[in-house]
Amino acid sequence: MIQLYPASTRYTVKNDWLESNLSFSFGEYYDPSNIRFGPLRVFNDDTVQPGRGFGIHPHREAEIVSIVLKGQLKHEDNLGNAGIIGTGSIQRISAGTGVLHSEFNASNQEEVQFLQLWFSPDEKKLTPSYEDITYDLEQMHNQLLPVISHIGSERVAKIHQDVTLYLSRLDGKETLTFRQEEGRRIYVFTIDGELSINNDNILKTRDAARITDLPEITIQASKDSFFLLIDLPGGEF
């Protein structure tokens, strides 16, 4: 089954320094029918104005992934980690038993746009940890490039959950096929462009699809497109 979620259906929080488009219940937005998709609990599409950001705040029992789409994001935490990530970089925080961190736009001139995703960990009371990786932008051209996985490597950040996140830039009219084991889930998010899934299901910019009971899908770009695909486990969460 393929369920489409157009960008217009997301809940938007907006003030003088932040615009956040929420795909799942978060903060002031609560919908009991839209809590999670498997272990994926948060999918926020954030734009932060120059020099502004989220002050020090706590997290626990969550795997937090940040993917910068434009600009630069500055991170600091009570584990002693500090740094700036930009396009081509991804950050993973395992909050575990508890972590304090802040996130700010590192620039005083341009906005930063980033996706932030939270996953339920596969194990409770993990020791908090931090990782950021830089991936090869050319390696996602017309193919799926893994950037986060439960099996980490030099350019794939390790996450404590049975999920894999792929990024791809697909040329117009090009096609990709994705296969997974039976009983798993797929989440597709079009960052930019326009895609079709199995011919009939159209995803435009910032649209999403939640897919179950289909271990194989075909993705075609009607024009040059940039998208995220997440391979997720089935079962109850």
Side-chain angles (χ1 to χ4, degrees):
M1 180 172 65
I2 301 176
Q3 292 181 294
L4 301 181
Y5 291 81
S8 60
T9 64
R10 297 183 300 174
Y11 185 89
T12 299
V13 176
K14 190 171 184 179
N15 57 37
D16 64 335
W17 64 272
L18 169 70
E19 179 174 332
S20 187
N21 294 288
L22 315 178
S23 295
F24 298 93
S25 293
F26 184 87
E28 67 182 52
Y29 165 54
Y30 177 71
D31 178 352
S33 67
N34 189 31
I35 300 295
R36 62 170 65 242
F37 185 59
L40 177 57
R41 176 63 186 84
V42 169
F43 193 117
N44 294 350
D45 182 1
D46 292 340
T47 300
V48 177
Q49 294 305 305
R52 305 295 295 273
F54 304 92
I56 196 79
H57 58 280
H59 292 288
R60 61 186 302 118
E61 303 300 356
E63 299 289 298
I64 303 170
V65 174
S66 298
I67 304 172
V68 175
L69 305 178
K70 175 186 175 182
Q72 295 183 314
L73 184 67
K74 182 179 180 180
H75 165 87
E76 293 184 1
D77 63 40
N78 65 332
L79 306 177
N81 300 300
I84 296 173
I85 61 171
T87 304
S89 297
I90 286 182
Q91 175 190 98
R92 186 271 305 160
I93 300 170
S94 293
T97 55
V99 65
L100 297 169
H101 82 135
S102 63
E103 297 160 297
F104 277 85
N105 187 339
S107 170
N108 289 318
Q109 284 79 43
E110 65 172 348
E111 64 186 22
V112 61
Q113 297 178 0
F114 64 100
L115 304 177
Q116 187 164 98
L117 293 70
W118 299 5
F119 298 88
S120 301
D122 57 12
E123 183 180 347
K124 299 289 187 180
K125 298 183 179 180
L126 291 167
T127 300
S129 63
Y130 170 92
E131 180 181 15
D132 62 55
I133 59 104
T134 299
Y135 57 90
D136 187 343
L137 296 171
E138 294 299 318
Q139 290 298 310
M140 62 178 178
H141 183 218
N142 290 330
Q143 61 184 346
L144 291 167
L145 175 68
V147 291
I148 300 272
S149 176
H150 57 289
I151 303 172
S153 64
E154 181 181 356
R155 289 195 171 182
V156 180
K158 180 178 174 60
I159 191 169
H160 298 95
Q161 182 53 264
D162 182 15
V163 301
T164 303
L165 281 70
Y166 300 89
L167 289 172
S168 180
R169 285 194 177 273
L170 197 57
D171 291 341
K173 307 304 180 183
E174 289 292 323
T175 299
L176 285 175
T177 298
F178 178 73
R179 301 177 181 87
Q180 62 178 191
E181 295 178 359
E182 295 275 355
R184 294 180 65 83
R185 300 176 169 96
I186 306 169
Y187 190 93
V188 178
F189 182 79
T190 306
I191 297 168
D192 188 43
E194 184 174 314
L195 307 169
S196 66
I197 301 177
N198 292 355
N199 297 317
D200 298 327
N201 302 276
I202 306 301
L203 294 181
K204 297 183 179 181
T205 298
R206 281 350 198 231
D207 291 352
R210 304 179 196 181
I211 303 167
T212 57
D213 303 316
L214 284 176
E216 179 175 315
I217 60 171
T218 299
I219 300 173
Q220 184 175 39
S222 58
K223 57 184 178 181
D224 293 355
S225 299
F226 181 26
F227 70 96
L228 168 68
L229 183 149
I230 312 174
D231 179 1
L232 298 143
E236 296 295 325
F237 287 88

